[in-house]
Amino acid sequence: FCSAVMENLKHDDQGAVAQAREVTVLFSDIRDFTALAEKLAPEQVVSLLNEYHERMVETIFKHSGTLDKFIGDGIMAYFGAPVADERHPQNAVACALEMQADLLGINAARQARGEPVLRIGIGLHTGSVVLGDIGSPTRRLEFTAIGDAVNLASRIEGLTKVHGVVALASQATRDRARDDYAWTEAEPMPVKGKTGPVRTFVPSAKA
């Protein structure tokens, strides 16, 4: 959690109680990371991930997001909880766009050191999730978000590979944030768990 969220939870004894909330979920992933990591020493892999994650997490916090977890080289975050935020779709899109700019800075530094550049994919979806402490009460509990909205955000991140783009947002996210950004619709594609093709959109800053 960012410091603002932590401060809020200190004064909210309901912070870890299971609850349904509408949020915007963000998934990001480093492209071809396994192949890249196989060419690096273990300490280089850790250094790469630490440098990348630190920069991206700072940007997530900057846009009022909550870091849910690291999944290897991937990041899961959500916007709009635990602290309520009516502009969570707009903030999530702004975060995704700034993460792309961050990557340019990271890659410039990597190139200067003679290291290969990184490519990423980012998926966004707005929907209802269940937030709460999930896991083993006697071993380990983790405050996290679960539900179809989380799964769909992950699937949309996967579609960035198919469409050859960095970021894609669902129609739900686009509809909520459409006036603040420019949008280019991608070809609707089927995803696991959905009966019909899913509409997605590439966000960009307005001219």
Side-chain angles (χ1 to χ4, degrees), residues 54-204:
E54 181 177 13
R55 184 77 169 268
M56 296 304 177
V57 169
E58 285 180 0
T59 298
I60 290 168
F61 290 168
K62 175 181 175 180
H63 293 282
S64 303
T66 296
L67 173 66
D68 187 282
K69 60 175 68 72
F70 297 119
I71 309 168
D73 60 292
I75 297 171
M76 174 184 165
Y78 49 84
F79 300 75
V83 179
D85 176 12
E86 292 184 357
R87 289 184 57 81
H88 59 82
Q90 291 90 338
N91 289 338
V93 174
C95 179
L97 295 178
E98 188 164 337
M99 288 171 73
Q100 295 178 59
D102 289 340
L103 187 65
L104 295 177
I106 292 171
N107 280 337
R110 291 183 60 79
Q111 285 182 308
R113 298 193 296 262
E115 298 170 346
V117 299
L118 305 178
R119 296 180 300 116
I120 64 172
I122 303 170
L124 301 168
H125 176 56
T126 301
S128 180
V129 302
V130 174
L131 290 164
D133 286 330
I134 308 296
S136 169
T138 59
R139 296 292 183 179
R140 180 183 177 187
L141 289 172
E142 181 178 59
F143 189 82
T144 188
I146 59 173
D148 181 66
V150 175
N151 296 335
L152 184 52
S154 177
R155 306 292 186 217
I156 289 172
E157 184 276 317
L159 290 180
T160 62
K161 303 175 188 177
V162 179
H163 292 298
V165 299
V166 177
L168 282 173
S170 69
Q171 183 176 357
T173 301
R174 191 284 306 260
D175 288 350
R176 290 283 299 276
R178 65 185 304 162
D179 293 338
D180 293 70
Y181 302 97
W183 304 89
T184 302
E185 184 166 7
E187 179 183 355
M189 298 289 291
V191 299
K192 184 178 179 181
K194 295 297 178 182
T195 57
V198 172
R199 295 180 68 191
T200 56
F201 302 80
V202 180
S204 59

